[in-house]
Amino acid sequence: MSSFTGCSVYSFSGTNIDPAVKTISISTFANNANNGPSFLAQRFTENFKDYFQRNTSLKLVPRDGDLQFEGQIIAYDFAPAAIQQTNGIDQAGANQLTIQVRVKFTNTKDPKQDFEQTLQTARPFPATLDITSINNDPTALNELFRNLITDAFNKSVANW
């Protein structure tokens, strides 16, 4: 039997994390979006933490992790997306929810990987659904959150 040792980068669930990196800290993302519901910051941050804990072996610490995330939700916009004319009246055929998050990533072991970037995702919804219905549907918001979190994950630890 042979064994492999050394200081190389390992891969876990598609990640590319240096073995010297052991911890991660994720600060609560501030909700600076004018239209965002009150629970938005807390739910997004918890989803962010859960995603990294499920997909890496890093230990989540309250602050000063080897990898650090912080940021803010800067836009939460619900607007008509597909205007249709019915009986001479313009109406939304669909509505679209767009979320933008400003993410700052710090890698204390390799500062060349640090970044600060605005990530955006959008999803159309039937015109019959209003923003209150969407806000009360955790599945709908979780899909949008997952898109943003996956982008941050890929840029930070998957090196995409």
Side-chain angles (χ1 to χ4, degrees):
M1 283 179 70
S2 64
S3 66
F4 297 96
T5 60
C7 279
S8 63
V9 174
Y10 68 93
S11 178
F12 177 81
S13 295
T15 62
N16 193 16
I17 302 171
D18 187 299
V21 173
K22 305 285 186 205
T23 61
I24 186 169
S25 56
I26 301 168
S27 298
T28 300
F29 281 72
N31 182 3
N32 293 336
N34 293 333
N35 304 326
S38 60
F39 62 79
L40 190 62
Q42 184 67 30
R43 190 178 299 170
F44 180 77
T45 302
E46 289 306 313
N47 284 20
F48 205 101
K49 290 176 181 179
D50 290 346
Y51 190 91
F52 274 81
Q53 287 184 294
R54 278 193 323 271
N55 292 288
T56 72
S57 58
L58 299 173
K59 181 180 182 212
L60 184 64
V61 296
R63 66 179 61 91
D64 301 325
D66 297 328
L67 303 182
Q68 302 168 11
F69 283 95
E70 59 186 284
Q72 56 187 308
I73 301 163
I74 58 174
Y76 189 88
D77 298 317
F78 187 71
I83 304 300
Q84 300 174 342
Q85 197 169 69
T86 307
N87 298 328
I89 299 171
D90 288 341
Q91 295 179 326
N95 291 312
Q96 181 165 295
L97 178 58
T98 303
I99 303 175
Q100 287 184 337
V101 179
R102 188 84 182 148
V103 176
K104 181 179 179 187
F105 171 70
T106 304
N107 182 332
T108 63
K109 303 294 185 186
D110 185 2
K112 290 181 290 183
Q113 293 187 7
D114 294 359
F115 68 85
E116 188 166 349
Q117 186 174 357
T118 299
L119 305 175
Q120 176 177 306
T121 190
R123 177 179 169 204
F125 290 92
T128 54
L129 288 179
D130 62 12
I131 190 63
T132 303
S133 301
I134 294 165
N135 286 341
N136 291 329
D137 179 1
T139 304
L141 291 181
N142 286 346
E143 178 185 323
L144 289 160
F145 292 166
R146 186 174 48 252
N147 292 343
L148 294 164
I149 294 164
T150 301
D151 286 349
F153 181 87
N154 289 340
K155 185 155 180 62
S156 60
V157 298
N159 293 330
W160 285 19

